Amino acid sequence: MILYSTKHASPDVSLEEAVFRGLPPDNGLYMPYEIPTLPQSFFDTIGDLSISEIAFEVAKALLGNDVPESDLKGIIERSINFEAPLVGIEPNKYVLELFHGPSMAFKDFGARFMAALMSYFLQKSHQDIHILVATSGDTGGAVAQGFYNTPGIKVTILYPTGKVSDIQEKQLTTLGGNVTALEVDGTFDDCQSLVKQAFLDKELSSKYNLASANSINISRLIPQSFYYFNAYAQLKKAGVDKPVVFCVPSGNFGNLSAGLIAQRMGLPVKMFVAATNINNIVPNYLASGVYEPRPSQETISNAMDVGNPSNFIRMQLLAGDAYEEVVKHIAGDFSNDDDTRVTMKDVYDKTGYIMCPHTAVAYRGLSSYMAELGEDVTGVLLSTAHYAKFLDVVEGTLGTTVPVPERLSALLSKEKVAIPMSTEFSDFKNYLLQL
C-alpha cells in the first residue's frame, strides 16, 4: 500500500511509515492511491463468513503485500475477536451494535487492530513509540484498552475536562501502566490541536517516535470498514435484499469515511446519512456546498462535539471530491439535545430498546431520510457506544433505572488519575520534553 498526503506537499510513504507518522509533514492526511474492488465471489458468499473471516479478506485486499497472510491472520485474531450484531428494532430498521468490545464502544475495532498492527511492525524494527491521542469520549477508553501494556508503546491521552461522561473518564484515567491521561482545560478541538502541533514540532519529533491513534491515522479507518461488510453479510444471511442505507452518527467523520472505503471496495450501499448533533458543519456543507468549521458546542452526545472534523477531506475525496459527487453518496441530518432526548424516549416506549444519545441521533437521521426518500429500503443505523456509558443522560431521559454491565459499573469505584493541562502548546510540549 502506497499512500499520499492530501496536501500533496510531502513524499509518498509505505503503510508502516503512515501508521507511525500519523500525520504527513505538510499537515495533510494519508490516503491510499488505490482502493481495490473485491470480487463478486466474495459478496456471493459473504453471508456464510464470520466477522473475522470478512475482516481478513478485506484487510488482505487493502494491505496487499505489506503484511504476510499468516501474520495478518494473527493480527485479525487478536483484534477482531468480538461480534457486531445487527438487531432489528422496527420494520426495515436495524441497529448495528458496535459496542461489544472491551471498552464497549465502536472505537475498539480501530484501536485494537491498530495496536496489533503497530506491535507487529515494532517487533520487526525493535523501536519504541509514544502515542498521542485526543478524545471527545470513546476513543480514549478504546485506545487505553487496546494499547495497555503493549511492549514498546507509551500512550498519552488528552481529553477535555468536564466534557466526557463519568464512565468514559474512568476508562481512560484508571489503567495506569503505559497509559497516561491529561485533562485539558478546553474543548476536544483544543486537545486535537495540541496533538497535531506536537506531530509537526521538529524538536519533539527528533526526541520521540510519535504516533497518533486518532482517526487521522489510516490504520484506524481500515478496520472500521470491516463492520459495514459484516452488516451486509448479516442482512444477506437473513434474506434481506433491499437497497441498504447506512446512517452514521458523526463527529470527526472517520467512521463514515470507513464506510465509503467499503463502498469503494464494492459494498452495495444506496446512501450514507451523516447524522450530527448541533455541531452540524458537515450537514450544512451537504445542504449548501459551503464548508465552514467553527468552535465546537457541548451536547449530550459528547463524542460528536467536533467543530472542525479532521476527516472531512478524506470523506470528500472518497465520495468523489466535487460537491456534486459527494451529495450522490452522502445525505445529512442533525439533532439538538431536545430532539435526541425525545428520540431516546420514543424508541424506548415503542420498542423497549435503550439507546445512547449518539445512537438516537443516528436513529432520527435515518428515520428522517427514509421518510423523505419514500422508497422501500433497508436502514441500518450504527450504535457506537453502550448506553450505560451515558448513564445520567439515559436514565434522566427515560425516567427509569437501566441495567449496567458489571465491567462498566466496576469502574466507578476506581480512582481517577489525570494530569491537568492548559490549552497552550508550550505547556504540552514542556510536559512531553520532561518525560
Side-chain angles (χ1 to χ4, degrees), residues 24-79:
D26 63 6
N27 202 26
L29 292 175
Y30 284 121
M31 282 282 287
Y33 273 106
E34 295 183 13
I35 298 176
T37 302
L38 290 162
Q40 184 57 45
S41 58
F42 171 74
F43 294 101
D44 290 342
T45 60
I46 194 171
D48 300 324
L49 301 179
S50 68
I51 187 170
S52 58
E53 290 170 332
I54 290 169
F56 174 71
E57 294 298 330
V58 174
K60 182 174 67 172
L62 279 169
L63 304 189
N65 297 323
D66 288 270
V67 181
E69 286 191 19
S70 59
D71 294 318
L72 183 58
K73 282 184 178 178
I75 289 170
I76 295 294
E77 287 171 1
R78 290 195 301 276
S79 58

Side-chain angles (χ1 to χ4, degrees), residues 207-276:
K207 184 173 181 179
Y208 302 113
N209 289 321
L210 297 178
S212 169
N214 279 96
S215 56
I216 56 177
N217 195 304
I218 191 66
S219 66
R220 273 276 306 276
L221 298 193
I222 291 169
Q224 288 180 243
S225 70
F226 301 160
Y227 46 71
Y228 288 93
F229 289 99
N230 184 55
Y232 178 74
Q234 292 179 72
L235 289 173
K236 190 165 185 177
K237 189 172 184 178
V240 178
D241 59 0
K242 298 173 185 176
V244 181
V245 173
F246 283 100
C247 187
V248 187
S250 301
N252 243 340
F253 282 82
N255 205 354
L256 198 147
S257 295
L260 291 166
I261 289 174
Q263 186 182 48
R264 289 276 294 271
M265 295 183 76
L267 185 69
V269 180
K270 179 178 179 61
M271 184 66 77
F272 292 97
V273 180
T276 74

